Amino acid sequence: MKSQLRKILPNKIISQITNMRIRMKSGLSRYMVKYRFTSALYYFIFDFQYHREQQATLAGKNTYQANEGVFEKSSALLRRNTHRLEKGLIMVPRKPIFAESYILETVQCFSHCLQQGSINSPELKWAQDVLARYFESVEHTSIIKKANNIFENLPLVDDKTLLQSVPYLHSERVTSNIDSQSLHQLFKQRRSTRWFEDKPVDIQIIKQAVEMASQAPSACNRQPFQFYTITDAIKASEIAAIPMGTKGFAENIQALLVIVGDLSFYPKERDRHVIYIDGGLVAMQLMLAFESLGLSTCPINWPDIELYEKQMDKALSLEKHQRPIMLMAVGYGKKEGGIPFSQKKSAEQLIKEID
């Protein structure tokens, strides 16, 4: 529409129309912000910024329902419910009866996953061990007894290489020998690096870093993200050039990860923003993991702009329920490459004490 107007109208007239439209939208926004309904109406009629998010959320919900929370190698429903059982098992004091509202659903989902045959073995073993501990720990009401009967008649996972996966004591945690000073130094060492050596990044190192970063927490342990990984420098540069803010340095990026959130992990709209929280948590650990392996990184902001969304959809063949969260450049930092100082706020500025 804009291109057609430019062909028939002078630039001055187009500029006046544009300014008038901006003033009208600004005036309407101040009025329509008063109520939720009119705010929604404003974005429905005058501004389409949220339309893609709405479509992605609905597509994710539909995909979840169509697959009953079970996907190719993982089950969002099984992961969520197993984690819920774990939280019930560690409660102090532990309730003698809990999870009645979802224990049948959990066992049926576990059975379905076993029959499917493609679900990741450690995930199945974790669910199996937690279910076994649950049935040992609670009083058996009629519902729990029914679920237990189903569970006991399933062909359970028998993989001797997998350790028991049940809740454990705080004193039994894996501990490290890293002190706060060393950790602080690692935080200071990690800086957004934009200049890389002309040296390829081995996919095995990327896998190692992702394995390390996967220990990041996520809501109900669903881990609703994937790392679309490009190790070809030419391809990495092409995709890194899609968002804003990479002009001038995209051409020297050696490897690129696109962290993509998956809204099909959620059956309800209330969880539509969890992909960004969980994606941000894992991204920070991933950058630190790369740093410890001798690689530098630069997180690249992903703007919610329709033109760029379409380009990324095409480049990665994304589904409607998938959303880019951020990009991450990876490589061996050039010693002579510049790094912004990026002064950080103090703890006093960041902490808001509540009486």
Side-chain angles (χ1 to χ4, degrees), residues 247-310:
K247 189 175 182 179
F249 78 92
E251 294 78 10
N252 89 123
I253 292 173
Q254 300 301 302
L256 186 75
L257 278 69
V258 184
I259 303 175
V260 176
D262 192 336
L263 285 163
S264 68
F265 278 67
Y266 308 101
K268 297 183 183 298
E269 289 81 0
R270 67 188 184 197
D271 293 318
R272 66 189 181 279
H273 294 150
V274 177
I275 57 170
Y276 306 108
I277 298 169
D278 291 349
L281 288 168
V282 76
M284 189 67 251
Q285 291 204 176
L286 183 58
M287 287 186 284
L288 293 172
F290 276 125
E291 201 68 40
S292 73
L293 294 168
L295 286 158
S296 296
T297 58
C298 182
I300 300 168
N301 179 46
W302 180 250
D304 190 350
I305 298 174
E306 185 62 19
L307 173 64
Y308 303 149
E309 293 275 0
K310 287 181 178 179

Side-chain angles (χ1 to χ4, degrees), residues 46-236:
F46 300 106
D47 199 323
F48 307 142
Q49 296 299 313
Y50 292 124
H51 286 194
R52 178 174 281 267
E53 182 185 43
Q54 291 170 341
Q55 184 185 33
T57 302
L58 189 57
K61 180 178 179 178
N62 290 343
T63 303
Y64 180 96
Q65 292 172 344
N67 293 292
E68 298 179 331
V70 179
F71 303 96
E72 185 181 351
K73 294 182 180 179
S74 183
S75 167
L77 177 60
L78 186 64
R79 295 185 69 84
R80 175 177 184 254
N81 282 5
T82 301
H83 190 61
R84 293 168 79 187
L85 291 174
E86 285 193 301
K87 289 190 287 187
L89 288 168
I90 66 168
M91 287 299 292
V92 180
R94 180 193 295 161
K95 294 181 180 179
I97 300 171
F98 67 92
E100 271 193 306
S101 62
Y102 62 88
I103 188 59
L104 268 173
E105 175 188 64
T106 306
V107 172
Q108 289 165 352
C109 181
F110 177 63
S111 174
H112 179 52
C113 290
L114 285 171
Q115 293 169 13
Q116 195 175 43
S118 63
I119 303 295
N120 183 273
S121 292
E123 183 171 312
L124 289 173
K125 182 66 163 54
W126 169 51
Q128 176 178 297
D129 290 349
V130 171
L131 281 165
R133 179 64 60 86
Y134 168 80
F135 288 123
E136 291 171 2
S137 306
V138 296
E139 294 179 12
H140 283 214
T141 64
S142 58
I143 293 174
I144 294 174
K145 185 176 181 180
K146 181 179 179 181
N148 187 41
N149 288 338
I150 297 171
F151 178 71
E152 288 183 340
N153 287 290
L154 293 174
L156 301 179
V157 178
D158 186 24
D159 189 337
K160 305 300 183 185
T161 65
L162 298 174
L163 298 176
Q164 191 178 36
S165 309
V166 292
Y168 52 91
L169 299 176
H170 184 272
S171 60
E172 297 172 332
R173 290 177 306 152
V174 173
T175 56
S176 73
N177 58 3
I178 300 174
D179 58 29
S180 60
Q181 186 176 357
S182 298
L183 186 61
H184 196 186
Q185 283 299 110
L186 178 62
F187 292 168
K188 287 185 173 181
Q189 176 183 317
R190 187 228 60 84
R191 283 296 178 266
S192 296
T193 299
R194 292 170 173 83
W195 307 109
F196 301 98
E197 294 180 9
D198 186 10
K199 180 180 177 181
V201 179
D202 192 328
I203 186 64
Q204 294 305 320
I205 299 180
I206 294 176
K207 288 180 179 179
Q208 186 179 353
V210 170
E211 188 73 30
M212 294 165 67
S214 70
Q215 296 301 314
S218 66
C220 284
N221 199 33
R222 277 180 280 203
Q223 298 183 291
F225 41 71
Q226 283 186 305
F227 304 93
Y228 281 63
T229 304
I230 303 100
T231 55
D232 177 81
I234 296 174
K235 183 73 172 177

